Amino acid sequence: MSLTVDERWDLIDRISRETVTVGEYKETLTDVIGEITIKPMTGIPVVIASLYLFWSIFGSFAGFFTDGFFVKFFDQYWLPWWQLHFPDTWEWLYYIVVGDPLADNCLEAFGMLTSGLFVAIGVVLPAIFIFYLMLTLLEDVGYLPRLAVLIDTILHKIGLHGYAIVPTILSLGCNVPGVAATRILETRKERFVMMTLLAIFVPCGAQLGIMQQVIPETMGLVLLYLVIGYFVTGFVLSRIIPGKSPEILMDVPPYQKPLLRNVALKIWMRMREFFTSAIPFVLLGVLMVNVLYLAGFIQWLSSTLSPLFVYWFGVPEATVGPLIAAFLRKDLAVAQLSVIEMTWYQMVTAVVLVSIYFPCLATFIMLLREGWTELLGSLAVLIVVVTVYGGFVHLVGILAGVA
Amino acid sequence: MKVLLMGHPNVGKSVVFNRFTGVDVITSNYPGTTVEYSEGSMRAEGEEVTVIDVPGTFSLEPKDKAEEVAVEMLEKEKDAVVISVVDASKIERGLYLTLEIIERGYPVVLALNMWDMAKHKGLNIDVNRLSEILGIPVVPTTAVSGEGINKLASVLKSARPVEVETISGRAGGRA
């Protein structure tokens, strides 16, 4: 037999009266820190400080390994070795595997074993390693739910619960777990809005890493455009998509000391994922782009789409090529953009376009798993957003006199 | 034998799962880390046991997709033993879901997880009396350090379905 809700609580009340006694509670340092980080007056400065700390560690760690070691190694030893030793019997094969025989750095060469491995291992690997280390610590300490409480008011303005910050932050590592995490949102509307925003506006760790490397000065502007786009689009979507964004009560767990074993394990799992699925995709991406270039397809597509790109987005038609690679890996696309001749503002526009245009294949599959309607809806929103927002970024450039 | 790990979000089900099976699923300190189920196996009392880590749910009336998965798992595994993992420091809330599962006729074992935290908060739970009233095995655990995990595995076999009326009869206060 089953009880009604009231009967059940009544029974629990009787059981606990007999078995649970509450002793004296002493406030500890953890509780004090818990309070400080959740009250807006002190909590918001803590958020800003943490973001800043996160960002500077990310930049300096990734920069230390990439500039200090990998760039030198790849450009001075790795690339020349392949350029010299790879048989040039078949020109096309040389082009696909090694790339440009005259290139003097691994971004320009664009061969599978040169640029592909440089981007994957030299740039992205250190970036996502440090990113995941910090993310894991934030997760295990228990900071994310507090962040959710702090940001709740702002996110409600775009029809999302504060908890939406969790999928957003996870997406900054990789969009795939970010999309999976939307399942804890209550309504279909909230999930749809969240997934769409993630897929369009949240750059992944790999992309952050490569941006840090190739456009360090203007990266801030790119991110600003993405953040604005996230909120504006969320604001619009929350008004036109039918459904509710209910309030939910949320548990804020006590802070805990991260366990070394657990942190190590999570980083290991995420790095293994990177080696087994990301690196093959980067190499595959280079292969695909090179084959399409050799076949003349990209040149054809570039000139066909030229009016849209040149007049509407204000970027060179050559940026169409990287958008093809972006379908597989966004990091690769940004690397490809970095060697195209253009002004700094065009570069900003192009990187914003790469970010907001089609989600990478892995994210696409993840969206598909959440349902056809969700996927098609997201894609419809995406097409509108890319067109409108891309044009908007161009317009801002024109008004500011930089485009 | 099949064992389902059920409980509220962020009570440590995945940590218990990792301890049991040696299979590593991602665990974190935020509610909703697990949104899909994972399966692993262990040996308990010489028997092969399949363990399923179920996403957290507050009740058996699902409110989101992760909770739907949890309820579907429970309904699919008619013969499973359920380990109801509760945060010992919020035991009343955990008991709600536990009772719901008991009412559906499942043999249940209650794991009072985060026992260290509850003690630290000055909470005292009479484990024996609780087990007597509920008529099911009750084990205090601290999954992150592994405390109580072996005990938990060893009592699985003694779990039996209980009628909620009998529980009500054994509990004190007005009937």
Side-chain angles (χ1 to χ4, degrees), chain A residues 1-3 5 8-12 14-16 18-26 28 139-142 144-145 163 166 170 180-181 183-186 191 250-251 253-256 259 261-262 265-266 269-270 369-370, chain B residues 10 18 24-32 35-36 58 63-66 90-93 95-96 99-100 103 114 117 120-126 129-130 133-134 144 163-165 167-175:
Chain A
M1 121 173 182
S2 37
L3 304 173
V5 174
R8 215 174 278 134
W9 281 121
D10 183 54
L11 177 55
I12 291 167
R14 281 154 52 212
I15 295 174
S16 58
E18 228 181 305
T19 55
V20 184
T21 45
V22 185
E24 205 175 305
Y25 181 66
K26 274 207 225 67
T28 61
E139 280 176 11
D140 285 17
V141 165
L144 298 183
Y163 205 82
V166 174
L170 294 179
R183 288 183 207 159
I184 52 163
L185 296 174
E186 227 172 291
R191 272 206 312 282
M250 194 176 53
D251 260 325
Y255 278 127
Q256 269 169 12
L259 296 174
R261 198 190 101 83
N262 197 47
L265 176 79
K266 279 206 268 193
M269 286 168 79
R270 285 163 167 169
R369 283 182 59 193
E370 298 302 308
Chain B
N10 215 33
N18 288 353
D24 291 318
V25 298
I26 296 265
T27 64
S28 308
N29 188 13
Y30 65 83
V35 290
E36 277 178 333
F58 284 105
K63 288 217 321 261
D64 60 42
K65 265 204 165 175
K90 297 170 187 149
I91 182 169
E92 283 95 346
R93 288 168 47 180
L95 282 178
Y96 188 89
L99 282 178
E100 275 195 305
E103 286 164 31
M114 307 196 195
M117 195 85 79
H120 167 80
K121 285 189 180 165
L123 213 66
N124 229 317
I125 301 171
D126 184 343
R129 182 71 189 123
L130 185 60
I133 296 175
L134 292 173
V144 284
E163 286 299 326
V164 70
E165 290 95 330
I167 297 176
S168 185
R170 278 191 295 252
R174 76 205 147 70

Side-chain angles (χ1 to χ4, degrees), chain A residues 245-299:
Chain A
S245 328
E247 291 277 352
I248 55 168
L249 289 171
M250 194 176 53
D251 260 325
V252 177
Y255 278 127
Q256 269 169 12
K257 207 170 85 199
L259 296 174
L260 181 65
R261 198 190 101 83
N262 197 47
V263 172
L265 176 79
K266 279 206 268 193
I267 293 179
W268 159 244
M269 286 168 79
R270 285 163 167 169
M271 296 317 277
R272 189 179 57 192
E273 181 74 15
F274 175 76
F275 277 101
T276 54
S277 64
I279 292 185
F281 266 93
V282 173
L283 299 184
L284 196 68
V286 181
L287 173 72
M288 194 181 79
V289 168
N290 283 345
V291 168
L292 291 176
Y293 263 114
L294 285 172
F297 176 75
I298 291 182
Q299 294 85 330

Side-chain angles (χ1 to χ4, degrees), chain A residues 84-111:
Chain A
L84 203 62
H85 292 90
F86 195 82
D88 51 4
T89 332
W90 296 291
E91 218 177 298
W92 59 269
L93 189 65
Y94 187 94
Y95 181 76
I96 288 173
V97 176
V98 183
D100 183 353
L102 300 175
D104 62 358
N105 70 64
C106 268
L107 281 174
E108 273 171 25
F110 217 74

Side-chain angles (χ1 to χ4, degrees), chain B:
Chain B
M1 176 157 74
K2 261 198 183 164
V3 169
L4 299 182
L5 287 164
M6 295 191 70
H8 287 192
N10 215 33
V11 295
K13 295 173 294 298
S14 297
V15 187
V16 174
F17 178 82
N18 288 353
R19 288 274 170 197
F20 270 164
T21 61
V23 174
D24 291 318
V25 298
I26 296 265
T27 64
S28 308
N29 188 13
Y30 65 83
T33 307
T34 310
V35 290
E36 277 178 333
Y37 70 90
S38 325
E39 208 174 287
S41 64
M42 66 162 175
R43 291 198 79 78
E45 311 279 283
E47 200 193 327
E48 181 83 9
V49 177
T50 306
V51 187
I52 302 171
D53 183 24
V54 179
T57 181
F58 284 105
S59 72
L60 295 182
E61 295 92 45
K63 288 217 321 261
D64 60 42
K65 265 204 165 175
E67 295 198 354
E68 268 168 36
V69 174
V71 177
E72 273 165 28
M73 277 318 291
L74 183 71
E75 280 164 1
K76 205 179 85 189
E77 303 293 346
K78 291 276 178 242
D79 307 318
V81 173
V82 177
I83 298 184
S84 174
V85 185
V86 309
D87 175 348
S89 64
K90 297 170 187 149
I91 182 169
E92 283 95 346
R93 288 168 47 180
L95 282 178
Y96 188 89
L97 178 65
T98 311
L99 282 178
E100 275 195 305
I101 301 169
I102 290 176
E103 286 164 31
R104 295 234 183 155
Y106 289 85
V108 175
V109 172
L110 182 61
L112 300 176
N113 198 31
M114 307 196 195
W115 187 249
D116 56 340
M117 195 85 79
K119 268 179 123 169
H120 167 80
K121 285 189 180 165
L123 213 66
N124 229 317
I125 301 171
D126 184 343
V127 177
N128 292 330
R129 182 71 189 123
L130 185 60
S131 171
E132 224 173 78
I133 296 175
L134 292 173
I136 64 174
V138 178
V139 184
T141 58
T142 304
V144 284
S145 66
E147 215 176 303
I149 294 294
N150 286 335
K151 175 86 189 294
L152 189 58
S154 69
V155 297
L156 285 175
K157 270 193 176 167
S158 53
R160 298 278 176 278
V162 197
E163 286 299 326
V164 70
E165 290 95 330
T166 8
I167 297 176
S168 185
R170 278 191 295 252
R174 76 205 147 70

